Amino acid sequence: MEKYYLAAIQAVSGIGSQLLQNLIGFFGSGQAVWQAPEGELLNFQLLPLPVREKLLQTRRSKPDQPARLQESCSKQGIKVCQISDPEYPELLKEI
Protein backbone atom coordinates (compact mmCIF):
# COMPACT_ATOMS: atom_id res chain seq x y z
CA MET A 1 0.00 0.00 0.00
CA GLU A 2 2.98 2.31 0.62
CA LYS A 3 3.58 2.68 -3.12
CA TYR A 4 0.09 4.08 -3.58
CA TYR A 5 0.58 6.63 -0.82
CA LEU A 6 3.77 7.72 -2.57
CA ALA A 7 2.00 7.87 -5.94
CA ALA A 8 -0.83 9.95 -4.48
CA ILE A 9 1.64 12.39 -2.94
CA GLN A 10 3.76 12.68 -6.05
CA ALA A 11 0.64 13.34 -8.14
CA VAL A 12 0.28 16.66 -6.31
CA SER A 13 1.46 19.46 -8.56
CA GLY A 14 4.86 20.70 -7.44
CA ILE A 15 6.00 17.52 -5.69
CA GLY A 16 8.80 15.86 -7.59
CA SER A 17 11.19 13.15 -6.55
CA GLN A 18 13.43 15.44 -4.45
CA LEU A 19 10.56 16.96 -2.47
CA LEU A 20 9.07 13.50 -2.02
CA GLN A 21 12.39 12.29 -0.59
CA ASN A 22 12.45 15.27 1.78
CA LEU A 23 8.96 14.40 3.00
CA ILE A 24 9.82 10.71 3.47
CA GLY A 25 13.05 11.61 5.22
CA PHE A 26 11.18 13.73 7.74
CA PHE A 27 7.92 11.80 8.21
CA GLY A 28 9.29 8.28 7.64
CA SER A 29 6.85 6.97 5.02
CA GLY A 30 4.30 7.95 2.43
CA GLN A 31 1.52 6.81 4.70
CA ALA A 32 2.86 9.00 7.51
CA VAL A 33 2.96 12.00 5.15
CA TRP A 34 -0.60 11.35 3.98
CA GLN A 35 -1.85 11.02 7.54
CA ALA A 36 0.30 13.74 9.18
CA PRO A 37 -1.57 16.41 11.11
CA GLU A 38 -2.20 19.49 8.98
CA GLY A 39 -0.18 21.68 11.32
CA GLU A 40 2.91 19.50 10.86
CA LEU A 41 2.65 19.73 7.08
CA LEU A 42 2.07 23.47 7.18
CA ASN A 43 5.21 23.87 9.30
CA PHE A 44 7.34 21.68 7.01
CA GLN A 45 9.60 24.35 5.55
CA LEU A 46 11.28 22.11 2.96
CA LEU A 47 8.08 22.29 0.88
CA PRO A 48 7.11 25.64 -0.60
CA LEU A 49 3.92 26.97 1.00
CA PRO A 50 1.81 26.71 -2.20
CA VAL A 51 2.80 23.04 -2.53
CA ARG A 52 1.99 22.36 1.14
CA GLU A 53 -1.42 23.90 0.58
CA LYS A 54 -2.01 21.81 -2.57
CA LEU A 55 -1.07 18.64 -0.70
CA LEU A 56 -3.45 19.48 2.13
CA GLN A 57 -6.24 20.34 -0.32
CA THR A 58 -5.73 17.01 -2.09
CA ARG A 59 -5.85 15.10 1.18
CA ARG A 60 -9.04 16.90 2.22
CA SER A 61 -10.83 16.44 -1.10
CA LYS A 62 -9.62 12.88 -1.78
CA PRO A 63 -8.77 11.27 1.57
CA ASP A 64 -9.08 7.78 0.09
CA GLN A 65 -6.91 8.53 -2.97
CA PRO A 66 -4.18 5.96 -2.19
CA ALA A 67 -6.77 3.18 -1.82
CA ARG A 68 -8.53 4.33 -5.00
CA LEU A 69 -5.23 4.25 -6.87
CA GLN A 70 -4.54 0.74 -5.63
CA GLU A 71 -7.98 -0.46 -6.68
CA SER A 72 -7.78 1.20 -10.09
CA CYS A 73 -4.31 -0.17 -10.80
CA SER A 74 -5.35 -3.64 -9.69
CA LYS A 75 -8.41 -3.65 -11.95
CA GLN A 76 -6.36 -2.48 -14.93
CA GLY A 77 -3.41 -4.79 -14.31
CA ILE A 78 -1.05 -1.87 -13.69
CA LYS A 79 1.95 -2.49 -11.46
CA VAL A 80 3.34 0.44 -9.53
CA CYS A 81 7.03 0.30 -8.79
CA GLN A 82 9.50 2.65 -7.23
CA ILE A 83 13.20 3.19 -7.78
CA SER A 84 14.16 0.80 -4.97
CA ASP A 85 12.27 -2.11 -6.57
CA PRO A 86 14.39 -4.73 -8.38
CA GLU A 87 12.19 -4.51 -11.49
CA TYR A 88 12.68 -0.73 -11.83
CA PRO A 89 14.44 -0.15 -15.18
CA GLU A 90 18.18 0.46 -14.79
CA LEU A 91 18.27 3.16 -17.46
CA LEU A 92 15.58 5.17 -15.64
CA LYS A 93 17.72 5.10 -12.49
CA GLU A 94 20.47 6.89 -14.41
CA ILE A 95 18.33 9.79 -15.57
Side-chain angles (χ1 to χ4, degrees):
M1 185 67 188
E2 177 66 11
K3 293 176 186 182
Y4 300 99
Y5 281 105
L6 296 173
I9 295 164
Q10 199 159 15
V12 174
S13 178
I15 298 182
S17 57
Q18 185 59 54
L19 289 179
L20 181 63
Q21 289 304 314
N22 291 343
L23 285 163
I24 301 308
F26 184 81
F27 289 98
S29 71
Q31 182 176 0
V33 171
W34 195 261
Q35 297 173 344
E38 288 193 15
E40 285 186 36
L41 280 174
L42 283 172
N43 290 327
F44 186 70
Q45 299 297 313
L46 294 177
L47 269 183
L49 182 59
V51 177
R52 284 180 264 166
E53 290 172 345
K54 286 179 193 174
L55 176 56
L56 289 169
Q57 169 58 31
T58 300
R59 288 185 351 167
R60 283 185 214 114
S61 65
K62 302 175 185 176
D64 60 344
Q65 184 66 8
R68 292 173 66 202
L69 280 171
Q70 182 182 31
E71 181 181 338
S72 177
C73 288
S74 178
K75 284 181 181 177
Q76 297 178 53
I78 296 170
K79 185 172 194 259
V80 174
C81 67
Q82 55 196 83
I83 198 166
S84 61
D85 292 338
E87 63 271 11
Y88 194 89
E90 287 298 321
L91 291 176
L92 282 178
K93 290 179 184 178
E94 295 177 20
I95 297 177

